[in-house]
Amino acid sequence: MAYRKITVVPLAGALGAEVRDVDLLRADAETWNEIRVAFRDRLVLSFPSHNLGPKALVEIAENFGRVGFYPFAEGLPEEPHVFAVVKEPQETTNFGEGWHSDTTYTERPPMATVLYSVEVPPYGGDTLFANMHLAYDALSDGMKAALHGLRAINSAAHRKGGGRAAGNAYKSVKLVGQDKMNLQGVHPVVRTHPMTGRKALYVNALHTVRFDGWTEEESRPLLEFLFRHKERPEFTCRYRWQAGTFTIWDNRAVQHLAVNDYHGFRREMHRLSIEGDIPA
Ligand code: SIN
């Protein structure tokens, strides 16, 4: 589509765009319509050159949907929907290290996630994104047929995902909610995007434990294949942050990974979730 109000600069062939010439706090209805089209088409949008406090983040995010809560982090005092993801110079662990879609261990995982860069290292600390529509489309017809109707168990207690993180890492992220470690979401392995009807691969190594009705041992070889397959470089883009960038990704069709390559530097991001539906 030709945009009149915004400038959309793709980040890579697969997905992602930087949107320029927009002040998100002052965008009019026509601008928001164009942003929503760009979001549908590019799945990840970054808006640089902003200066946003937590309340402004929520105000902007509400243009995409209802703002929700992340179950394992304490919100900021001035705005409980927003929590800080911080890595201090002396820390070595990084929140969100490993490909995943957010919170798939809940019944209704977020539709989208917003990340706003408050402070970024001079280099490193990029975020990678991968397009799960392309990952699905690239499977053979035989594999697509095998996955049809299959569901997977996603657990908060799995590996470093969700609640497991509370016990072992991320000193600078105020993690809470250990009592929610038993959260589980049973979701289709291939979900259909409610807006576009496109299919997306919906398993991830941080949260997906096994296929429903299969043992972990039986599930592992096929899951390992799908985890490797969906990370192919041609399905991805990489975002290099500047401070003051509002980024939103479609959690129904995108997986992401925070690159942990900036030891000795501080990085602070503010993050919130936008509520989603039951994956189908
Ligand atoms: C996350 O997984 O939400 C963190 C992403 C990042 O910090 O780049």
Side-chain angles (χ1 to χ4, degrees):
M1 127 162 204
Y3 298 102
R4 266 181 15 93
K5 306 284 278 195
I6 61 178
T7 305
V8 178
V9 181
L11 295 175
L15 78 168
E18 198 166 75
V19 184
R20 302 188 186 148
D21 307 322
V22 178
D23 178 346
L24 286 170
L25 281 174
R26 286 181 187 75
D28 61 14
E30 193 185 342
T31 304
W32 275 111
N33 284 341
E34 291 195 357
I35 290 171
R36 287 192 200 95
V37 170
F39 185 55
R40 186 199 63 201
D41 291 349
R42 300 305 304 170
L43 302 171
V44 180
L45 296 181
S46 289
F47 301 81
S49 308
H50 281 78
N51 182 10
L52 303 170
K55 285 195 186 306
L57 285 183
V58 171
E59 188 185 324
I60 294 166
E62 279 170 344
N63 288 282
F64 292 92
R66 206 173 129 138
V67 172
F69 288 97
Y70 177 69
F72 291 109
E74 188 179 300
L76 296 172
E78 64 268 49
E79 179 40 82
H81 293 96
V82 178
F83 72 93
V85 176
V86 185
K87 186 179 165 212
E88 299 288 358
Q90 70 278 9
E91 288 188 276
T92 53
T93 49
N94 204 38
F95 184 85
E97 209 179 312
W99 283 106
H100 63 289
S101 42
D102 286 324
T103 332
T104 59
Y105 44 77
T106 56
E107 189 191 15
R108 292 169 184 266
M111 176 274 267
T113 303
V114 167
L115 202 59
Y116 174 75
S117 48
V118 177
E119 184 178 345
V120 295
Y123 52 85
D126 297 352
T127 305
L128 308 185
F129 298 96
N131 182 332
M132 292 301 107
H133 293 314
L134 295 184
Y136 173 77
D137 292 347
L139 293 169
S140 66
D141 289 345
M143 179 59 82
K144 286 177 182 157
L147 299 182
H148 181 75
L150 213 52
R151 296 170 72 78
I153 314 290
N154 295 265
S155 165
H158 191 47
R159 300 198 189 171
K160 283 208 297 188
R164 261 294 289 282
N168 60 7
Y170 320 135
K171 293 182 197 58
S172 304
V173 178
K174 290 202 170 56
L175 288 163
V176 293
Q178 292 272 28
D179 54 323
K180 302 187 199 114
M181 292 273 273
N182 59 356
L183 278 176
Q184 271 202 355
V186 185
H187 299 306
V189 169
V190 176
R191 71 178 292 183
T192 304
H193 197 290
M195 313 294 287
T196 62
R198 287 191 73 183
K199 291 188 186 319
L201 202 51
Y202 199 59
V203 289
N204 73 91
L206 284 197
H207 307 321
T208 308
V209 183
R210 61 181 172 83
F211 299 113
D212 194 17
W214 299 29
T215 66
E216 283 189 41
E217 199 178 3
E218 288 167 343
S219 305
R220 197 167 301 125
L222 181 50
L223 280 178
E224 292 292 347
F225 163 75
L226 294 172
F227 296 158
R228 268 197 320 278
H229 165 80
K230 71 183 173 52
E231 294 158 15
R232 275 167 40 183
E234 64 269 33
F235 306 149
T236 71
C237 72
R238 177 175 193 126
Y239 193 66
R240 179 159 194 199
W241 296 91
Q242 303 287 324
T245 301
F246 177 105
T247 292
I248 182 165
W249 61 87
D250 187 331
N251 198 46
R252 300 165 293 195
V254 173
Q255 296 200 12
H256 62 283
L257 176 155
V259 182
N260 187 9
D261 62 347
Y262 58 102
H263 299 330
F265 297 112
R266 189 172 191 279
R267 180 177 186 264
E268 176 172 351
M269 315 295 272
H270 288 176
R271 186 182 182 288
L272 65 80
S273 310
I274 297 176
E275 290 181 356
D277 52 10
I278 297 176

